Amino acid sequence: MSLESRTQTIGQTLLAATHPGRSFLAQMREPWDEKLLAWTMEHPGLRTQMFRLIDTLPFLSGSGEISRHIQEYLHQPGVELPGMLKNLLNFTGRESLTAQVAAQTLTTAVSTLARKYIVGENFSQVRQTLERLGRQGMTFTLDILGEAVLSESEAQGYFQKYIDLMTQLAPVDWGCVPQVSVKLSAFYSQFDPLAEKTTRTQVTQAITQLLQRAGELGVAVHFDMEQYKYKNITLAILKDVLLSDEFRSRTDVGLTVQAYLQESEADVREILAWVKLRGVPVTLRLVKGAYWDQEVILAQQKHWPLPVYRRKSSTDANYEKLTRLLLENHPFIYPAIGSHNVRSQAHALAIAEELSISPNAWESQVLYGMAAGLAKALVAQGQPVRMYCPYGELLPGMSYLIRRLLENTANTSFLRQRLEKENELELLTPPQWAEPTTPLPQGETFMGTADTNFAQMGTADEFLQAIVRVKLQLGHSYFLPHCSRERTLDSVNPSDPKESIGRVGLADISSVQKAMDCAQEAQKIWGSTPIAIRVNLLQQIADTLQMQRSEWVAWMVLEVGKPIREADAEVSEAIDFCRYYSEMAEGLHPGYTYDVLGETNRYVYQPKGIGVVIAPWNYPLAISVGMITAGLVTGNCVLYKPAEQSAVIGCKISELISNLISDLGLPQGVFQGLPGWGEEIGPELVRHPAVHFITFTGSRQVGCQIYAQAAQMSPGQRHLKRVVAEMGGKNAIIVDASADLDQAVQGVVQSAFGYAGQKCSACARVIVLAAIYEPFLERLRTATQSLTIGCATDPATTIGPVIDATAQERLQKNITLAKQRLTVALESAAPTSGYFVGPVIFTDVPPDDPLAQEELFGPVLAVLRVADFDQALQVANGTDYALTGGLYSRTPSHIHRAMQEYICGNLYINRGITGALVGRQPFGGFRCSGVGSKAGGPDYLLQFVEPKVVTENIQRQGFAPVAEEL
Amino acid sequence: MSLESRTQTIGQTLLAATHPGRSFLAQMREPWDEKLLAWTMEHPGLRTQMFRLIDTLPFLSGSGEISRHIQEYLHQPGVELPGMLKNLLNFTGRESLTAQVAAQTLTTAVSTLARKYIVGENFSQVRQTLERLGRQGMTFTLDILGEAVLSESEAQGYFQKYIDLMTQLAPVDWGCVPQVSVKLSAFYSQFDPLAEKTTRTQVTQAITQLLQRAGELGVAVHFDMEQYKYKNITLAILKDVLLSDEFRSRTDVGLTVQAYLQESEADVREILAWVKLRGVPVTLRLVKGAYWDQEVILAQQKHWPLPVYRRKSSTDANYEKLTRLLLENHPFIYPAIGSHNVRSQAHALAIAEELSISPNAWESQVLYGMAAGLAKALVAQGQPVRMYCPYGELLPGMSYLIRRLLENTANTSFLRQRLEKENELELLTPPQWAEPTTPLPQGETFMGTADTNFAQMGTADEFLQAIVRVKLQLGHSYFLPHCSRERTLDSVNPSDPKESIGRVGLADISSVQKAMDCAQEAQKIWGSTPIAIRVNLLQQIADTLQMQRSEWVAWMVLEVGKPIREADAEVSEAIDFCRYYSEMAEGLHPGYTYDVLGETNRYVYQPKGIGVVIAPWNYPLAISVGMITAGLVTGNCVLYKPAEQSAVIGCKISELISNLISDLGLPQGVFQGLPGWGEEIGPELVRHPAVHFITFTGSRQVGCQIYAQAAQMSPGQRHLKRVVAEMGGKNAIIVDASADLDQAVQGVVQSAFGYAGQKCSACARVIVLAAIYEPFLERLRTATQSLTIGCATDPATTIGPVIDATAQERLQKNITLAKQRLTVALESAAPTSGYFVGPVIFTDVPPDDPLAQEELFGPVLAVLRVADFDQALQVANGTDYALTGGLYSRTPSHIHRAMQEYICGNLYINRGITGALVGRQPFGGFRCSGVGSKAGGPDYLLQFVEPKVVTENIQRQGFAPVAEEL
């Protein structure tokens, strides 16, 4: 009998044993929780909103809030409500009796649902369930549900829970070895493949202790697998630990492989090689994988290759292939086949039969609550079955619950199909490999460059090596044309100020004049250079940056103290600017046509003339390249003054662009770098009568000065100048009562302290609703405390130095002063060897305190307490700035109001407020945050062109070609 | 036998008698001129370019210029050249032998062509031809070809030529009464149906003299029909003159009706009624019409109903209908059936036969050179035939030649079809009525409002009546909210300063503050008012202006001395602004969407805030409404300061808009009019910290002040202000050596002196190539001299007053000073009763003379002589301004260069440089002419909005709706 026939036969047996067999009457009487699932399957719009509502539910206090959210979520355009649900929701007034009924009904239904998938909220409940499973002939593995681990205290808490659990498990006689399942990322709050060394050290330490204690207690430990980005480092750590002398002989441990990963087969083969080397078997659990949506979203958003299979059937096919591979290697490993798909389990049984593997040599696993019938049927077949049992409270378990609900209601879900298929036997059809050969649908008008994906082990090495190479080039001198060879400035490494980055010859007033003369000559040529050549220049800049990515990262790490991941993203941004502005310029080029009979009308864009770019140090590459290329691609000659603090990178950019221009046979006057002291040459650059526009990014004070100065006519000037200025911000994030704190804390930490808060977009104020103020603050405090402060060259660093001694002193002074009037929630220590400032959090800051009004540009965060959402918006809007803003909320009406009322240029909802992407999130603000249209946006280039209309009467002697058949 | 059968029989006879019968050999040997026509029929692209080239040819001097133009015209993308022509044009170097051959070949071919259609260049040639025609049994009518009549001296010249011709014709015995054909529009250079009274007087005087002299000489006079716009007034004048006692008994006169006009049947019936009243017959010539392209183009460009039939076959069908009508009325009129279409003539003969009309009671007419065979065949049938004989030089006859060539080579042309049809009898198919019921294809993205079409008699009356009505409202007082009732200004009629237009209560600093307070309150509401309501407001403004068109015209005529036609166009422009900005705002509203999986990104536009509009007096309605509505529709509250000189119109606009806002239930602070002294309230409006943007149109000096002042931060201000300023110009028109002087003179006169030169776009400099300097200047001088200076209320006025005494004095002073250093070509007298300044032309003005550099804003024109086109461009570009520019040239390379190198915002080629239309010709300049994007253009509204990006992470617990079948 062939394998497939056996699979079918076994499958039919299992199906028969597990037939739901629900009568019509039973369906009529089905409880709310089942109705709810049924409805979501029938109405895709309702499905999304219902799961979002369920996700929010545990965070809402009182039936008023619950009924309000029910209405806000479910009364939406596109959400079709089944009649019964419509009746239930047909209430007005949040406190009415019917509203209370609705709230109660839904809450009960969700609790009922949760109890189906979660074995218990406390150990006594858990013990009851596990003993029942034991009576049914099943073993178990216990997984403690938890919130995201954002801090070391939370990591410690997670660890301790497992120790406690194991301690509780050990004394009981389960009739089998009790097992727990753990997630590696929860053992270290800064778990990060880029910070490989630290992550390995921290995690190894935790699991060593865990395994030791488990060994003492006689509890088996299984290691779960999480998101793809953690996979390689997880396997690397586990292989090392389990190969160590201490644990090499342990068989009561296991690893997990996810069949939806394209790399899974290779991983299994490597694990097999490793386990053979180890000589002692471990359990290898084969699952399909539970993060498919997330993995797809992340890959699409980041423009990374998709790590998972696109089609469920491909995953299923791969699962069968790996099942065989595992079972064939059963002496070396103990296979655990985890699936609630009857076909998958039947197929495993058939293979085991074919290979004559004893049932004791492998086991089946199913998730608690997902396929109780199947588990029983497997037991009945004499197959060992382990139930995966999540344990914990509903609130932290929400993401688990949502994953299970999604899984059960997905179109491709086995459980759903079982309910819907006319002919049950179709469920046993062998899965087909079905990966599309066409690329993923993009739907994006502009495809940004992908940042480096550090998920692959060793990726960081390329950057570390580049840092070593660049270190050999430090201390050189840079003399750009027109600049002095005598007067120079020294740029130093802010992580280590003793280290000179380079010496830069300075431009002075006479340099400016010379450069202007060159630019004026060059403008005649550049202004009429075909768009294709201008675009080509930008493409070459982009290609060069991409080719030299790691070198540019190294220069930024060293000269401005930017951590590697953020420097890497900055290279991408610079490349994106080149490519986006190229596309935009090509789009502008044809202009508009407005022809009528006998007359052509062309609306075209021509260059403005010479532009001055005054760049900041905090994005020394991306903002410089963006401002420069926007001016160049529209046909304007550009004079570029880099910031003093990043003068070496400024010179490198200048050399790069000047060389490419030279290669194109164009005059050097097209682009000229002019490093110099801002106070000295800035005013002259702004004042010069030949200048047509100034593109500036920097402080509010300087921006306003430039704006006013540029508007004055200089002698000999015969046009009005245009100023595009990006200035400061005092950006707020509102944390609503319904916020997902896992997200909110993470987003605030990242937004406030990324690059030591030295971003225009950085979060300087968190406005927190009183209802969740305390828990939020506590998690924020500990999460911030867990950040790694250090040299930017260290991949583990999350917070590097501030830019220079002046900034350090200014920040320290402001912190000292603020401490005199405000409460400090956290003040972190910092190394003293460089310009370091440890993150500081002030709490209960009054909205009018200078700390909540004035930009500090450093790792200092003000936490403000507000009574309600109205007040939150009012406080958020209550500064001179309007750059970025954020909101964490799961209340649809609040999200909607924020979209309308939040005064800022870039509003981010339920995510961090930094890291705007070119094209996707055009960046810029108004009020005192800036003037001009958004960088990386559809209107940006319009600021550097003059529209011209050419109208031609094409009649001659009353004749123009008119179609005779008009 | 039915009429149709007779038509067919006669047609076949005529066809047989006129069969071209050309052998293959004859075709091979056909001369260049015939080849040329054949090629244009085969290659539509070549046809257009070839006719343009032929049009240019007589103006070119020397074979070098000719060969250059041959290449420029015919070596174009899309122009397919037949092999033989390609060989002929295969030369390089304009003076090479082959180039000379090409030039010579083409010139000869065109001369040969011209000689086919024109009876002679002098009387002795004409006499020879006419005598030959006489021998062939034909009579004739002579038409003197001429350039456009742009001045009274040219009109006088035209008149005199006819007197001379008649004097030469009279003594000769032609065997018949000699006849001349004349065009009415050539008797008066300011011929204009709007100026009905003057036109009637002038033209009546000329034709009275002509008819008297013709009577004395025994020469018959036939009146031709020209463009549709002249038709009604032409018929009205002729009916009056020919009904007068002096001419009522004359039978040797005739009128013309064009069958392509939709009104032609009605016209014929009216003529029949009139001629019956007259009691003495006249000739009625029925033609199809020769201006079809022009009529279609004009109607399409002006958005007027098409006066002609769209289909040739409809015209043919109408022609047959009118033929019957004429012949049926033969005792009252003498029908003349003019056509070279065999079917049309056969049909006329058949009707005459059916009605038993004697051949002496009507005649056939054909054009000389178009159908000689048909004429002979008709004579052979015993039918009287008159040949229409154009007479004159090639150069002024060019438009006639082009018309004939077009006619012969058109797809629908009888002559062409005869050459192409396989079965000749198809040519006799009865014409079918074939007017499409679908509207004309538009192809325009924005449909502007049509100006009033004054072609219909009496249209001006509506405006004259409105002036009477408005005159009754003069002298009233206007007190807008916040304005003083004590301090007022008086606005007067510049045509008659004794006449007060009204008294206006003034705003002062405290009014500004009050208005700002209201605006700040209103901004909260208006800024979030749905786009549909904002758009609705604009639509209501537009509808009201349209409904009150004649009143608004009257107010402008009276308050700012704008002539009726230009005031009418201004109302259209105001309406267009409302409608265009509505469309643009609706287009902006959705913003951009940039969604990726798991994240939505919306780029939307929000209002900036309070805007100040500072408006000029020269377009008191259109520019005000444009600037106001642009601010309003984008959600900004607007404070509007009208110019002092047009304060009453400013108040009327304010009342109109405020009332509509009130009707919508919106607060008055949304829009507030603040009439006041610019020096007093202007700086405060600009300085006020609540203001977000200033939209200004006015002088360079004030614009630059506002620009500088607005860039200074005021205390309490928390944003940077945006200034959009339209300022002055010193606009040039280049008249190239290849220019069509008929066009160029007309365009320059209109551009320089329209509204007395008080337009930003007005032409202040004409840059003329030496080669045609003298003839151009002379025609310019006389054309300008012929303009009618007077009160704006008079429909005959082409130049009204300047705006006020200050302007008058300033202009007079500048003219006096300039006369001390420059040569005056023309200084016209002007009435002394109002603020009149007669047009002045200075000649040979050096490019650096203040008169060629500084804006005067009045009817003063500098003529500059340049050696070549390079110099022309250099001089044109050599001022501080860059607003409008013009070029008259028929040299493709010069047109191309101007498109690239002419520094101006709006470049017009081969047409006047004023009268930009909203949407079609977005308007605005750069250099010191302005800052900001073009009014009425696609980017204008972007200046009044702030882009905002809203990014929402729509993942919840790692879940977002991802298509499972990705």
Side-chain angles (χ1 to χ4, degrees), chain A residues 446 594 605 707 721 939 948, chain B residues 446 594 605 707 721 902:
Chain A
F446 171 73
Y594 198 106
Y605 297 100
Y707 198 69
K721 293 174 189 167
D939 306 318
K948 175 176 179 172
Chain B
F446 171 72
Y594 198 107
Y605 296 100
Y707 198 69
K721 294 174 189 168
Y902 212 129

Side-chain angles (χ1 to χ4, degrees), chain A residues 175-251:
Chain A
C176 63
V177 178
Q179 190 190 88
V180 294
S181 284
V182 299
K183 290 173 177 56
L184 251 55
S185 74
F187 290 125
Y188 178 42
S189 65
Q190 311 299 309
F191 194 101
D192 182 359
L194 167 58
E196 188 193 331
K197 211 172 127 193
T198 325
T199 301
R200 274 177 180 264
T201 311
Q202 295 288 331
V203 174
T204 301
Q205 192 187 327
I207 59 180
T208 299
Q209 285 177 27
L210 189 83
L211 285 174
Q212 284 168 346
R213 188 74 185 121
E216 290 160 20
L217 292 166
V219 176
V221 177
H222 193 91
F223 295 99
D224 275 344
M225 194 54 84
E226 307 168 76
Q227 286 89 342
Y228 173 72
K229 65 178 171 183
Y230 297 148
K231 184 203 69 172
N232 285 348
I233 192 166
T234 295
L235 288 178
I237 292 171
L238 290 176
K239 282 177 183 171
D240 272 11
V241 169
L242 299 181
L243 206 59
S244 68
D245 290 344
E246 186 175 4
F247 301 117
R248 190 163 183 160
S249 60
R250 288 275 282 268
T251 56

